[in-house]
Amino acid sequence: MTPTSATDGRFRIHFVCTGNLCRSPTAEIAFRKLLPVALGAAASRFDVSSAGTHARLGEMMDPESLRALSDHGLVDGDVPEFHSRPITAETIRRADLVLTATRSHRRAVVQARPEALARTFTVLEFARLLGSVDRTSLPIDPLDRFRAGVVAARDRRGTIPAVPKAADDIHDRRGRTPAAHDEALVTIHNALLQILGVLALREQPGVPPLVAAAGGGGDGSRPQPVADPSTSESRRHRFRLCAHRLNRPVLRRSAQPS
């Protein structure tokens, strides 16, 4: 438990990748979308943020990652006012849970704050470790439930069947095909759903998993988004608006609790 979480009644989740342009903002935005569905009003007690181990302050999110979020209905209306920022030791100290894209990012977080090891995992590692947790054994209060989940995942390190190390990594898609960005989103979104399937009071958070289109990812084609056909045109319009706004100066991401 971090010094602030026990006293201010909040739970802080911090996502980390390299540039804070693709994977970690994708996870931040997707998790913000999923939390109210899974937790209802209790979602207001959670702070979700992201940063990059080599991020430059103030860069805009990768347009293909934003397009993938829009195509799958995870961006509502206008483009989020998102700008990249680097990780800081203070943000890590305050976080109750740090979820990284890869093991190398996890290592960078722990090098910055060694005591954060017990609450720092890759996204896929955390989902995998929680898979062996009896969800009925966790507390009912949402914050206590998440804290207990972090402890349970920590305690399962080295005690459940091992997987290839690379299986816990989500690799960078920046500069790759649109299909590769869709594939990354599907991986991140579905891992977050697995996490909420254990840590939310309801076993099913009420959101279906995303499905990668057959043959997508490497041939340069763009997978068809798994979306309600009745809303596909409005989502295309939102992305055109997002892409347009990405080429205009926008305000920096507002300071928020981390």
Side-chain angles (χ1 to χ4, degrees):
M1 188 178 295
T2 58
T4 54
S5 66
T7 59
D8 68 0
R10 305 198 65 76
F11 189 95
R12 296 173 175 83
I13 303 168
H14 196 51
F15 293 98
V16 176
C17 68
T18 302
N20 196 211
L21 300 173
C22 298
R23 291 163 291 177
S24 60
T26 292
E28 177 187 345
I29 292 169
F31 207 57
R32 287 179 184 276
K33 180 78 170 180
L34 293 171
L35 269 178
V37 179
L39 301 182
S44 64
R45 301 168 68 188
F46 290 76
D47 296 322
V48 185
S49 60
S50 65
T53 56
H54 293 80
R56 297 177 181 177
L57 183 64
E59 292 191 354
M60 290 178 286
M61 185 177 177
D62 184 278
E64 275 301 331
S65 291
L66 181 60
R67 188 273 314 156
L69 285 163
S70 181
D71 279 0
H72 287 282
L74 294 169
V75 174
D76 288 329
D78 205 353
V79 58
E81 289 189 1
F82 181 92
H83 285 76
S84 62
R85 62 181 179 182
I87 62 169
T88 67
E90 177 60 16
T91 299
I92 296 168
R93 183 192 71 79
R94 288 168 56 84
D96 298 277
L97 173 62
V98 181
L99 295 176
T100 69
T102 68
R103 290 164 293 129
S104 65
H105 300 126
R106 183 185 64 195
R107 184 165 55 250
V109 168
V110 174
Q111 285 173 346
R113 299 292 302 207
E115 74 278 8
L117 174 62
R119 48 191 167 82
T120 302
F121 311 81
T122 77
V123 173
L124 296 180
E125 175 194 18
F126 192 60
R128 175 171 57 83
L129 293 172
L130 283 181
S132 64
V133 174
D134 177 7
R135 62 186 313 279
T136 64
S137 68
L138 299 175
I140 293 178
D141 178 79
L143 267 65
D144 290 341
R145 193 173 179 88
F146 268 72
R147 292 182 185 124
V150 172
V151 172
R154 177 202 68 191
D155 291 345
R156 279 160 175 74
R157 280 175 164 160
T159 67
I160 63 175
V163 300
K165 291 182 178 179
D168 282 336
D169 290 349
I170 302 170
H171 295 291
D172 196 3
R173 264 60 168 191
R174 194 170 190 214
R176 294 182 59 189
T177 64
H181 286 265
D182 283 279
E183 182 183 30
L185 171 60
V186 167
T187 300
I188 292 168
H189 179 274
N190 291 348
L192 297 178
L193 276 185
Q194 285 181 263
I195 291 166
L196 288 172
V198 176
L199 297 183
L201 285 177
R202 292 184 298 165
E203 187 170 0
Q204 299 298 327
V207 179
L210 300 182
V211 180
D219 60 0
S221 62
R222 177 174 299 176
Q224 294 301 311
V226 182
D228 182 348
S230 66
T231 61
S232 60
E233 180 57 36
S234 64
R235 286 177 184 164
R236 282 195 294 271
H237 171 73
R238 285 203 305 271
F239 174 66
R240 287 194 293 269
L241 175 62
C242 291
H244 172 67
R245 296 262 175 129
L246 279 171
N247 291 319
R248 296 170 52 194
V250 294
L251 296 175
R252 293 197 172 199
R253 175 168 52 185
S254 301
Q256 57 181 329
S258 300

